[in-house]
Amino acid sequence: MEVVIAPGAELARLAADAVERLLAERPDAVLGLATGSSPLAVYDELAHRHAERGLSFARARAFLLDEYVGLPADHPERYRNVIDAELVRRVDLDPAAVHAPDGLADDLPAACAAYERAIADAGGVDLQILGIGTDGHVAFNEPGSSLVSRTRIKTLTRQTREDNARFFDGDLDRVPTHCLTQGLATISAARHLVLLAQGRQKAEAVHQLVEGPVSALWPATVLQLHPRVTVLVDDAAAGRLQLAGYYRETYAAKPAWQSL
């Protein structure tokens, strides 16, 4: 696991660098896209590079991490609509090549199984962008989630719903109680995981992610078992890291030829 502590704007550039490098090597790469606040600056940076430098997503494919259950198809907070607005319509990524779990399916377990098959049929995810919740969840894998879980239905904790209420005009009652989410094993199957976290409210979750024991109590800790994880955090989110000085030294001494 590589931990990079840097200003927020730099974190977005580093994540965008990883995406751009991948697309240069594999124009038909499969991207894993997250929603929420953490990746927004990354999508802004990618859109800028598309407009100013010609970064192309034309042959790429993408899979979303999760989706609310029951939100109408035209709801602005439906994650497929969010990712369309934040990235897809701002670059040349084919909307037909972007996939999300079907939170409106009549048979939700079957929709989850179909989503797992679609990811496998695409050859798996090459680079997965991730955020982390204040309680250590990744995607919507809440505390207590199986570390070998696959795409499934989950009930959202009150903490997660309170955190996400800001997207629903602060009204907790409007935040759905259920979702479809890639499981921890599904996420761990991606070849490169890039996780971003900013702010003091994420400090304990980042500490557990990087330095705590692997436990379902803090689902993100399963990433410690992955061979290629990049954790991008600002000073505030790094505030609880016991080895913060070492992570800074390691990154400062990184050879120029060694990418994230």
Side-chain angles (χ1 to χ4, degrees):
M1 180 179 288
E2 180 178 22
V3 180
V4 178
I5 304 170
E10 179 65 15
L11 301 181
R13 287 194 291 271
L14 289 170
D17 285 347
V19 174
E20 184 170 15
R21 191 177 301 110
L22 172 64
L23 291 174
E25 296 171 356
R26 288 194 56 192
D28 61 347
V30 178
L31 302 175
L33 302 177
T35 49
S37 300
S38 297
L40 293 182
V42 180
Y43 299 149
D44 286 343
E45 180 66 20
L46 291 172
H48 171 77
R49 295 184 188 195
H50 170 71
E52 300 297 325
R53 290 162 35 180
L55 175 62
S56 178
F57 296 77
R59 294 173 56 193
R61 293 161 291 169
F63 287 86
L64 273 62
L65 278 175
D66 40 35
E67 183 60 273
Y68 288 118
V69 169
L71 283 186
D74 60 352
H75 195 288
E77 292 305 322
R78 188 169 182 256
Y79 281 157
R80 176 52 199 261
N81 296 334
V82 171
I83 209 68
D84 282 348
E86 296 295 343
L87 182 64
V88 177
R89 291 200 293 265
R90 302 169 69 190
V91 298
D92 58 345
L93 184 55
D94 183 357
V98 180
H99 308 279
D102 186 0
L104 293 173
D106 292 329
D107 187 337
L108 292 175
C112 292
Y115 200 61
E116 280 284 327
R117 288 194 299 272
I119 294 172
D121 290 346
V125 172
D126 292 301
L127 187 153
Q128 176 66 62
I129 297 172
L130 295 170
I132 186 170
T134 56
D135 59 1
H137 71 256
V138 287
F140 274 135
N141 293 284
E142 301 283 24
S145 291
S146 167
L147 302 183
V148 294
S149 53
R150 293 286 179 174
T151 302
R152 67 211 188 285
I153 308 162
K154 285 293 289 182
T155 301
L156 300 176
T157 64
R158 183 178 181 87
Q159 179 64 59
T160 296
R161 294 178 65 236
E162 288 176 348
D163 289 345
N164 286 0
R166 66 190 188 278
F167 300 115
F168 293 82
D169 297 325
D171 187 349
L172 180 63
D173 291 336
R174 292 171 55 192
V175 183
T177 57
H178 292 83
C179 66
L180 304 185
T181 183
Q182 288 189 33
L184 293 171
T186 312
I187 293 167
S188 296
R191 286 175 272 279
H192 184 192
L193 305 177
V194 178
L195 184 145
L196 300 98
Q198 296 184 59
R200 186 175 59 183
Q201 73 278 10
K202 299 293 181 72
E204 181 61 23
V206 168
H207 165 59
Q208 295 293 336
L209 158 67
V210 176
E211 298 172 338
V214 176
S215 168
L217 184 62
W218 293 91
T221 58
V222 74
L223 304 188
Q224 294 178 27
L225 305 178
H226 194 281
R228 191 181 181 193
V229 180
T230 304
V231 177
L232 303 173
V233 293
D234 65 4
D235 286 322
R240 289 271 291 113
L241 292 175
Q242 294 173 268
L243 299 177
Y246 173 70
Y247 305 138
R248 289 188 173 94
E249 291 171 7
T250 301
Y251 183 64
K254 188 172 183 176
W257 50 264
Q258 188 177 24
S259 61
L260 289 182

